[in-house]
Amino acid sequence: MAWVAAIVLFVEAIGIALLNWFLGVVVDRQDMSLAGLDSDMMSVSSKVGGLVFGLYFALCGVAALLVAVRDRAPGLFGRILLISAAVVHGLLGAFTVGLVGWGAFVFMMVALGLIVFTLLAFDRGAGPAEAAPGEGAGGEDGNGGANGDANGGTNGGTGGSPITAPPTPSAS
């Protein structure tokens, strides 16, 4: 799923950059003013904003791609990028349902689901598998020896230090 999320993010990066570039060209050719703003400034702003937003989605795609290639959870920076991309997709989905329609909303929610699945598919807290009950440090039964007590028992296991209770507070 991380592969699919990376592909979707790369396609989105290209799409958002091209869309904003197109909008910048349209504003430039109309040569109109909006509340006194310079049309050239709006055109350049749209193009730069599209490129920045496209690079952001491409960077998020790289983070998802690294998760897919390495087959492990993203690092802190990658996790922050993917969480921010999930939030952006949630907000864009909320806006697109009213402005563009349900098709765009479904696309944004699918992208959101892929990003969230990529984040949740790998458990950051998971370490090596827990040792099986017969493979403890103490011997065959994991308690120090072959059916012995915690200190090695009768069969000479390595055991460990016995567990002692903490000292009780005195009333003085």
Side-chain angles (χ1 to χ4, degrees):
M1 285 302 205
W3 288 101
V4 176
I7 291 169
V8 167
L9 285 168
F10 285 132
V11 169
E12 256 185 315
I14 294 169
I16 199 80
L18 289 177
L19 176 69
N20 278 306
W21 193 271
F22 173 74
L23 290 175
V25 170
V26 168
V27 168
D28 193 31
R29 288 189 181 167
Q30 283 188 351
D31 199 29
M32 297 173 67
S33 175
L34 178 67
L37 294 175
D38 184 23
S39 63
D40 291 331
M41 179 73 76
M42 290 189 300
S43 172
V44 170
S45 298
S46 177
K47 292 175 182 177
V48 169
L51 289 175
V52 168
F53 210 41
L55 289 173
Y56 165 72
F57 275 140
L59 192 59
C60 293
V62 168
L65 186 65
L66 287 175
V67 169
V69 169
R70 294 177 180 167
D71 197 28
R72 64 182 172 104
L76 178 65
F77 184 69
R79 185 172 285 279
I80 290 170
L81 270 176
L82 291 176
I83 289 171
S84 68
V87 170
V88 166
H89 278 84
L91 292 172
L92 285 177
F95 290 132
T96 58
V97 72
L99 296 173
V100 181
W102 287 101
F105 173 76
V106 168
F107 176 77
M108 286 295 153
M109 293 303 107
V110 167
L112 171 67
L114 288 169
I115 293 168
V116 170
F117 185 80
T118 301
L119 284 167
L120 297 178
F122 300 93
D123 186 16
R124 290 257 327 150
E130 294 294 325
E135 300 172 3
E140 293 175 14
D141 65 355
N143 288 328
N147 299 324
D149 64 0
N151 291 323
T154 57
N155 292 333
T158 59
S161 62
I163 299 175
T164 59
T168 57
S170 62
S172 55

